[in-house]
Amino acid sequence: MRNMRTIAYCAVAAMFTLNGPASAQNWDEATDGRGDAGEFLNTTQVTSGIGPLTTITGVLPGPNDVDIYRILITDPVTFSASSTGGLPYGPPRLFLFDAAGFGVTGYFDSTNLGASLSGVNVSTAGVYCLVMSGQPYPLGEDKGDKAVWFPGGGTDLERVPDGLGAGLPLGSWSPSIEPYDPTDYTLTLQGAAYAPEPATLSLLGIGSLTILRRRRKR
């Protein structure tokens, strides 16, 4: 079933890539998303569109703001996401969750030059949630507020979830006491596309089940 789902995602990616323009395409949090990107799975900004997605621009307006964007990773081998640095309140952090809210990979910058993610920990193409954050770090969906990534872990490197909440889906975010003014940021992506509409995924899911049934009959 996972192979069928991967084929379906790749079919969407191929369709978007072939039909999309050759020029770079950007998603803007305010203009395209019409407001602040949310910090939970049910409030993410879905980057709906056609073609490859190469940049995301947004604003972190306050000390506890976290922006989550739903994207389609079309090629884990070439996938990358990097942020601009120079945040006045502290180094940027990038996280990647799967569509169900489980952590995939994260980067804790300490140089204030920018964070970056690769596809080394991404097993399959599909829909993922890309997170831009300042000081806060994700906590698992648990009464103990267990950190998905260990706060005292290594910096300036990419890490899979290694905290007490590593096996839990996203539940909340740690608070920050760092005050700062609204700060613009840019995320640069490779191997990614706009996230397909839910209806498109549903149709592809039906198609995948049909293919699977035909294979079983044979």
Side-chain angles (χ1 to χ4, degrees):
M1 180 65 70
R2 178 175 294 182
N3 290 337
M4 291 299 98
R5 191 177 294 114
T6 301
I7 291 172
Y9 284 135
C10 290
V12 175
M15 178 180 66
F16 286 175
T17 301
L18 290 173
N19 292 339
S23 60
Q25 293 186 280
N26 172 69
W27 176 269
D28 182 78
E29 179 186 21
T31 302
D32 301 307
R34 300 181 181 181
D36 182 43
E39 59 185 31
F40 300 108
L41 294 184
N42 61 347
T43 59
T44 61
Q45 275 198 6
V46 180
T47 59
S48 57
I50 296 177
L53 178 61
T54 57
T55 56
I56 296 175
T57 53
V59 179
L60 294 176
N64 290 305
D65 190 52
V66 175
D67 290 341
I68 304 182
Y69 301 94
R70 191 162 298 222
I71 65 171
L72 177 69
I73 294 182
T74 57
D75 185 2
V77 175
T78 62
F79 171 74
S80 67
S82 58
S83 70
T84 51
L87 300 181
Y89 51 87
R93 298 172 179 177
L94 277 180
F95 302 102
L96 188 70
F97 290 83
D98 65 18
F102 290 92
V104 176
T105 189
Y107 191 102
F108 292 77
D109 177 48
S110 68
T111 63
N112 211 11
L113 296 178
S116 60
L117 300 174
S118 70
V120 66
N121 297 316
V122 180
S123 59
T124 61
V127 175
Y128 290 85
C129 296
L130 181 62
V131 182
M132 176 62 177
S133 170
Q135 293 296 326
Y137 58 86
L139 305 176
E141 192 177 59
D142 183 87
K143 292 182 179 179
D145 288 338
K146 298 175 181 177
V148 179
W149 278 268
F150 180 55
T155 58
D156 305 322
L157 52 85
E158 196 168 351
R159 293 158 48 195
V160 296
D162 51 16
L164 295 176
L168 300 172
L170 175 64
S172 59
W173 293 88
S174 65
S176 172
I177 60 174
E178 297 289 336
Y180 59 87
D181 295 327
T183 305
D184 297 335
Y185 63 82
T186 299
L187 305 179
T188 303
L189 295 87
Q190 291 185 349
Y194 288 101
E197 296 288 348
T200 303
L201 286 178
S202 298
L203 289 174
L204 284 171
I206 295 173
S208 298
L209 289 174
T210 302
I211 295 172
L212 182 60
R213 288 169 182 168
R214 288 178 179 175
R215 287 187 175 182
R216 286 177 175 173
K217 288 181 179 180
R218 292 179 182 177

